[in-house]
Amino acid sequence: MSLSTQPYKGARDFYPEDKRIQKYMFGKLREVVESFGYQEYDAPILESFDIYAAKSGEEIVNEQLYSFEDKGGRKVAIRPEMTPSVSRMVAARRQELPYPLRLYSIPNLWRYERPQRGRLREHNQLNVDLFGVEGLDGDAEIIQVADAILKSFGAKSSDYEIRINSRGYMNQQFESFGLSDDQKHLCLKLLDKQSKIEPNEFEKMFIEKLGDGKGSQLLNFLKSEEVPKPVAELLRVLNLSGVESAAYDPAIVRGLDYYTDIIFEVFDTDPENNRSMFGGGRYDGLVGLFGAEPVPTVGFGMGDVTLQNFLEAHGLLPGLGPETDAAAILIGDVYAKAQAVVGEFRKSGLKIAVDSSGRKLDAQIRSAVKSGVRYAIFIGEKELQSGRFQLRDLKNGTEKELPKGDIVSAIQESRAG
Amino acid sequence: MSLSTQPYKGARDFYPEDKRIQKYMFGKLREVVESFGYQEYDAPILESFDIYAAKSGEEIVNEQLYSFEDKGGRKVAIRPEMTPSVSRMVAARRQELPYPLRLYSIPNLWRYERPQRGRLREHNQLNVDLFGVEGLDGDAEIIQVADAILKSFGAKSSDYEIRINSRGYMNQQFESFGLSDDQKHLCLKLLDKQSKIEPNEFEKMFIEKLGDGKGSQLLNFLKSEEVPKPVAELLRVLNLSGVESAAYDPAIVRGLDYYTDIIFEVFDTDPENNRSMFGGGRYDGLVGLFGAEPVPTVGFGMGDVTLQNFLEAHGLLPGLGPETDAAAILIGDVYAKAQAVVGEFRKSGLKIAVDSSGRKLDAQIRSAVKSGVRYAIFIGEKELQSGRFQLRDLKNGTEKELPKGDIVSAIQESRAG
């Protein structure tokens, strides 16, 4: 019996053509976040189970966590999100680190769930976090980074909407209505599910759970169009920072338990795909869970599956060919002798794949075409003696005999063009 | 009770200064292998348990594998090596892929073992594999890539030694001595442990396990200085390819069960650290385990922990500062107003971290110095009106007042220098 060639369910194999897209996306992400002064960090994909039990929310911990006991009896988990890991790392060096501290990572994350469009069991997620800035300017920067990322891929402001709310403001309102902690929690849960429920059903549930008086008060508050002061101020700063697609939305809640104030979600405005792509917010309490003095923190996570869907839907992914510049096609048994000239091509910066299969010329050429490489360079005894080589453009079939240096410049020019 | 700030035992947190080193190393690895036409792929860190049970060797599967049942009752494992995954992927598209197929990846791998110098529970390992080339030219290329990588970091040929053997040749010899399959396996196991055993003890074990006659024959064969023909031919090609540190070593075996012919290991020649750093070889049978027609394959894996130890021991790691070019120090409450000019700096390619903490000037400057950033740019009302800004070099304390454009060029020049 032979082994299955399928990857684990809900997880992805990346063949070079897939990996190229990921590398393109991650390259842009790194470029943008680094332009804002963020620096990359990383942490192990296995963490102690406890760090999720604390604050990641019931659904994740009870139903979606890949957790098990290691051979030493430690309860461990494959990380479902990065925020607990980065909070742990900041707590470990709370005193030594320089603030404002700007950190980013693109970790691989796992959740056990039913695979569906835009949601797999594993994905990579850009995590961008700003530690040590208490005020709205920090919130503004984080949202500005999210906006700059989408624009860097060529998205227009009208392609997406950044919906902002304030948990801090909501909590104040909940308190003014006299809600208990349990009721507050319940309200957030209901709001989080709002988009999946019929409006009538939603209102009925509110009244049912909170009683006539408080329920109606809350529903009125949720319908009010008045923008809370902190959100209005944030929108003003965002506007001055060139962020045009931000707006207040009292229905934004975010599933995770640890958010403490400003939260936001970015929606695709395409009517075919009008859903939340990613989001984030302020979570000032998490570092404190690790025994360190709390650090004000705001951040967001952006998954690569959702991002790629968005870019594809809006036609924003470029065609990407292989990184390899040329296939060296060997005429006769010249592998060893060809090494010197191939070495020179490589030193000049060319990426050259040598066909060392020993097959006939046409088989070598067919493979080169199949691989998608742009050029073929023919190398045989005659060429090695004369120092002149045939360069064939496999895209349009043209061929030229050129000395080494001209081959290098011809390929470099075509790359730039 | 607060949560521990420690990472999981034997695993690594990468703060920006650690991640920078990793990025530097991975950047070089990518550059070199891509210059040989290799393309990056990836696969999930979770795989079906079965693909390791088949060929990864008893020690790994029984003692070192992180395996568990998922919530759907599937037996899964966190990958301890990449070779089974890439073999699976090639088998899945056996017919469509172009050969010679050159693939590389730098996966994160896990083994449950006692952490020690150069061996952690997790590491990243460059995997370079060439599929579809049967002959020695393929073996030569793979060894040439390993050699080119070490040289790209500035290592001299005398800093390391590439020891080569042929399992194919050994098997022929074993057969000519009339060894059974079990005895062959036993021989390889003994040889694999040779470096950890006293020479006398080693010979005694050989005689004990294989009997006087065969045992002595084998010991003589192992002491023979005659280079087997295929290894001699490989050394000739390597020599023409500029690989100077390769030599035959009959004691090289490699622990893994799947190697079929040429194998090699790279040793650090430093007497303080004279040990095997990494290796590889030919494993023609692995793709076939997945029900596809076998593909001749040769490859190697190079771990990042060992590589970093080698580079540090030989003084080959450069000093690496933060990627951020400058901290923008805000004078007064000008965060929103400063966005336009900071945005222009970023568009010109500068990486700028804005201090949005609202603290006093000297606290902002202290943080900037602590962060290791080279420059500080001071931005207040006056500067925004005049369009001229103080640029302070935090390394030597010099300060200049410059218009925007000159700030960009000053920083870009200092980067190049």
Side-chain angles (χ1 to χ4, degrees):
Chain A
M1 208 200 63
S2 64
L3 297 163
S4 162
T5 60
Q6 291 303 302
Y8 176 69
K9 190 177 171 186
R12 297 166 294 173
D13 283 337
F14 287 86
Y15 288 87
E17 63 270 28
D18 313 308
K19 187 70 186 175
R20 238 174 264 153
I21 296 172
Q22 196 192 55
K23 286 172 90 162
Y24 168 78
M25 294 197 305
F26 289 4
K28 283 263 179 221
L29 298 179
R30 289 194 164 96
E31 198 181 300
V32 174
V33 298
E34 288 182 2
S35 80
F36 282 82
Y38 288 78
Q39 295 189 67
E40 195 164 356
Y41 70 95
D42 210 345
I45 195 163
L46 278 191
E47 288 273 4
S48 160
F49 173 81
D50 300 335
I51 78 169
Y52 307 109
K55 276 278 183 182
S56 290
E58 287 162 27
E59 192 189 5
I60 294 178
V61 176
N62 296 336
E63 296 164 30
Q64 301 182 339
L65 205 58
Y66 280 88
S67 63
F68 62 97
E69 264 194 17
D70 75 6
K71 291 181 200 288
R74 280 185 194 80
K75 194 159 186 197
V76 293
I78 303 182
R79 62 186 171 207
E81 53 158 339
M82 197 62 170
T83 311
S85 298
V86 71
S87 302
R88 178 179 63 64
M89 286 175 64
V90 171
R93 299 201 183 164
R94 174 75 177 84
Q95 297 304 322
E96 304 97 283
L97 292 166
Y99 301 93
L101 175 65
R102 289 178 169 84
L103 293 177
Y104 83 91
S105 191
I106 317 181
N108 189 229
L109 307 176
W110 287 74
R111 291 189 191 184
Y112 189 82
E113 54 187 340
R114 192 196 199 87
Q116 51 183 293
R117 184 182 144 83
R119 279 181 99 87
L120 299 172
R121 288 192 175 167
E122 59 85 22
H123 70 160
N124 282 73
Q125 189 190 54
L126 171 69
N127 275 251
V128 182
D129 292 286
L130 172 59
F131 296 87
V133 177
E134 224 164 321
L136 284 172
D137 293 346
D139 305 324
E141 176 173 299
I142 279 294
I143 293 171
Q144 197 188 342
V145 171
D147 182 76
I149 287 172
L150 293 175
K151 284 179 180 156
S152 78
F153 286 103
K156 297 186 298 292
S157 285
S158 57
D159 291 335
Y160 57 93
E161 194 179 24
I162 304 170
R163 302 189 190 160
I164 299 172
N165 197 3
S166 160
R167 277 229 192 153
Y169 177 74
M170 286 173 96
N171 272 329
Q172 281 169 23
Q173 296 299 313
F174 291 170
E175 269 165 36
S176 76
F177 298 146
L179 298 196
S180 68
D181 282 353
D182 281 357
Q183 285 175 320
K184 282 188 227 167
H185 194 75
L186 194 68
C187 272
L188 291 177
K189 286 253 167 273
L190 280 173
L191 281 169
D192 197 33
K193 298 221 153 66
Q194 185 172 14
S195 63
K196 294 166 196 154
I197 312 174
E198 288 292 304
N200 283 343
E201 190 62 20
F202 175 73
E203 297 198 357
K204 230 178 74 189
M205 282 171 75
F206 243 94
I207 303 284
E208 208 171 89
K209 300 273 183 187
L210 296 164
D212 252 353
K214 286 181 188 169
S216 310
Q217 268 186 308
L218 268 165
L219 287 170
N220 282 335
F221 157 60
L222 291 171
K223 283 177 197 159
S224 130
E225 299 202 346
E226 197 193 330
V227 182
K229 262 201 189 139
V231 178
E233 170 59 13
L234 179 58
L235 290 172
R236 189 187 72 83
V237 177
L238 286 174
N239 198 266
L240 284 166
S241 310
V243 177
E244 294 126 6
S245 9
Y248 170 56
D249 183 347
I252 295 297
V253 175
R254 306 279 303 146
L256 293 163
D257 288 353
Y258 46 62
Y259 289 109
T260 49
D261 201 347
I262 290 291
I263 48 180
F264 71 98
E265 284 192 20
V266 182
F267 284 72
D268 188 345
T269 51
D270 185 337
E272 301 285 292
N273 187 37
N274 185 219
R275 53 192 195 127
S276 173
M277 298 193 289
F278 67 95
R282 181 165 285 281
Y283 59 101
D284 289 345
L286 223 42
V287 168
L289 286 181
F290 295 89
E293 199 191 326
V295 185
T297 313
V298 56
F300 72 90
M302 174 193 254
D304 67 343
V305 179
T306 327
L307 175 62
Q308 190 171 338
N309 286 344
F310 172 79
L311 297 177
E312 281 167 355
H314 292 265
L316 297 173
L317 277 181
L320 298 165
E323 294 83 0
T324 311
D325 294 304
I329 307 282
L330 301 186
I331 309 168
D333 186 15
V334 295
Y335 179 83
K337 284 185 205 157
Q339 289 308 310
V341 62
V342 172
E344 284 178 54
F345 285 139
R346 288 185 182 131
K347 279 221 177 76
S348 313
L350 297 192
K351 297 171 177 174
I352 309 274
V354 179
D355 194 325
S356 46
S357 65
R359 292 172 303 170
K360 289 187 181 153
L361 272 196
D362 54 342
Q364 293 188 51
I365 295 169
R366 272 200 306 276
S367 279
V369 170
K370 201 171 168 186
S371 78
V373 71
R374 173 79 185 268
Y375 291 101
I377 304 170
F378 293 83
I379 307 181
E381 293 283 359
K382 185 173 71 83
E383 287 76 7
L384 289 167
Q385 265 169 26
S386 69
R388 295 176 69 86
F389 304 85
Q390 286 297 124
L391 177 70
R392 186 182 295 180
D393 185 331
L394 298 173
K395 214 160 98 183
N396 58 27
T398 57
E399 203 168 273
K400 276 184 217 163
E401 195 190 284
L402 298 170
K404 282 181 294 196
D406 291 3
I407 286 189
V408 173
S409 42
I411 294 180
Q412 279 169 342
E413 274 162 33
S414 84
R415 253 199 230 153
Chain B
M1 208 200 65
S2 63
L3 297 162
S4 163
T5 60
Q6 291 302 302
Y8 176 69
K9 190 178 170 185
R12 298 167 292 173
D13 283 337
F14 286 86
Y15 287 87
E17 62 270 29
D18 313 309
K19 187 69 186 173
R20 237 173 265 155
I21 296 172
Q22 197 192 54
K23 287 173 91 162
Y24 169 77
M25 294 197 306
F26 290 3
K28 283 263 179 222
L29 297 179
R30 290 194 163 96
E31 197 182 301
V32 174
V33 299
E34 289 183 2
S35 80
F36 282 81
Y38 288 78
Q39 295 189 67
E40 194 163 358
Y41 70 95
D42 209 346
I45 195 164
L46 277 191
E47 288 273 6
S48 159
F49 173 81
D50 301 335
I51 78 170
Y52 307 108
K55 276 277 183 184
S56 290
E58 289 162 26
E59 192 190 7
I60 293 178
V61 176
N62 297 336
E63 295 164 32
Q64 299 181 340
L65 205 58
Y66 280 87
S67 63
F68 61 98
E69 265 193 18
D70 76 6
K71 289 180 201 287
R74 282 186 192 77
K75 195 159 184 194
V76 293
I78 303 182
R79 62 185 172 209
E81 52 159 339
M82 197 62 170
T83 311
S85 298
V86 73
S87 303
R88 177 178 64 64
M89 286 175 65
V90 171
R93 300 200 182 167
R94 173 74 176 84
Q95 298 303 322
E96 304 97 281
L97 292 167
Y99 301 93
L101 176 65
R102 290 178 168 84
L103 293 176
Y104 83 90
S105 192
I106 317 181
N108 190 230
L109 308 175
W110 287 75
R111 292 188 189 184
Y112 189 82
E113 55 187 339
R114 193 197 199 84
Q116 51 184 292
R117 184 183 142 83
R119 278 180 101 88
L120 299 173
R121 288 192 175 167
E122 57 85 23
H123 72 158
N124 283 72
Q125 189 191 54
L126 171 69
N127 275 251
V128 181
D129 292 287
L130 173 59
F131 295 87
V133 178
E134 224 164 322
L136 283 172
D137 293 346
D139 305 325
E141 176 174 298
I142 279 295
I143 293 172
Q144 198 188 340
V145 171
D147 182 76
I149 287 171
L150 293 175
K151 283 179 180 155
S152 78
F153 286 104
K156 296 185 300 287
S157 284
S158 58
D159 290 337
Y160 57 93
E161 194 179 22
I162 304 171
R163 301 188 191 162
I164 298 173
N165 197 2
S166 161
R167 276 230 192 153
Y169 177 75
M170 286 175 95
N171 273 328
Q172 280 170 23
Q173 296 300 314
F174 291 170
E175 268 164 34
S176 76
F177 298 146
L179 297 196
S180 68
D181 281 355
D182 279 358
Q183 284 175 321
K184 283 188 225 164
H185 194 75
L186 193 69
C187 272
L188 291 176
K189 286 253 167 273
L190 279 172
L191 282 169
D192 196 34
K193 299 223 154 67
Q194 185 172 16
S195 63
K196 293 167 197 156
I197 312 174
E198 287 292 304
N200 283 343
E201 190 60 23
F202 176 73
E203 299 198 355
K204 231 178 74 189
M205 282 171 74
F206 242 93
I207 303 286
E208 209 170 88
K209 300 273 184 190
L210 296 164
D212 251 354
K214 286 179 188 171
S216 309
Q217 267 187 309
L218 270 165
L219 287 170
N220 282 335
F221 157 61
L222 292 172
K223 282 178 197 159
S224 131
E225 299 203 347
E226 197 192 331
V227 182
K229 262 200 190 142
V231 177
E233 171 59 13
L234 179 59
L235 290 172
R236 190 187 72 84
V237 177
L238 285 174
N239 198 267
L240 283 167
S241 310
V243 177
E244 295 126 5
S245 6
Y248 170 56
D249 184 346
I252 294 299
V253 176
R254 307 281 301 148
L256 293 163
D257 287 352
Y258 46 63
Y259 290 109
T260 50
D261 201 347
I262 290 291
I263 47 178
F264 72 97
E265 284 192 21
V266 182
F267 283 73
D268 188 344
T269 52
D270 185 336
E272 301 285 293
N273 187 37
N274 184 220
R275 54 189 194 130
S276 172
M277 298 193 289
F278 68 96
R282 181 166 284 282
Y283 59 101
D284 288 345
L286 220 43
V287 167
L289 286 181
F290 294 89
E293 199 191 325
V295 185
T297 313
V298 56
F300 72 89
M302 175 193 254
D304 67 342
V305 179
T306 326
L307 175 62
Q308 189 171 338
N309 286 344
F310 172 79
L311 297 176
E312 280 167 355
H314 292 266
L316 297 174
L317 276 181
L320 298 164
E323 294 83 359
T324 312
D325 294 305
I329 306 281
L330 301 185
I331 309 167
D333 185 15
V334 295
Y335 179 83
K337 284 186 207 158
Q339 290 307 311
V341 63
V342 171
E344 284 177 55
F345 285 140
R346 288 187 182 130
K347 279 220 177 78
S348 314
L350 297 192
K351 297 170 176 173
I352 309 272
V354 179
D355 194 325
S356 46
S357 64
R359 292 171 304 170
K360 289 190 180 153
L361 273 196
D362 54 342
Q364 293 188 51
I365 295 168
R366 271 200 307 275
S367 280
V369 170
K370 201 171 169 186
S371 78
V373 70
R374 174 79 185 267
Y375 291 101
I377 304 170
F378 292 82
I379 307 180
E381 293 283 359
K382 185 173 71 83
E383 288 77 5
L384 288 167
Q385 265 169 24
S386 69
R388 296 177 67 87
F389 303 86
Q390 286 298 125
L391 177 69
R392 185 181 295 178
D393 184 332
L394 297 172
K395 212 161 100 183
N396 60 28
T398 58
E399 203 168 271
K400 276 184 218 162
E401 194 191 283
L402 298 169
K404 283 180 294 195
D406 291 2
I407 286 188
V408 173
S409 43
I411 293 180
Q412 278 170 341
E413 274 163 34
S414 84
R415 253 198 229 153

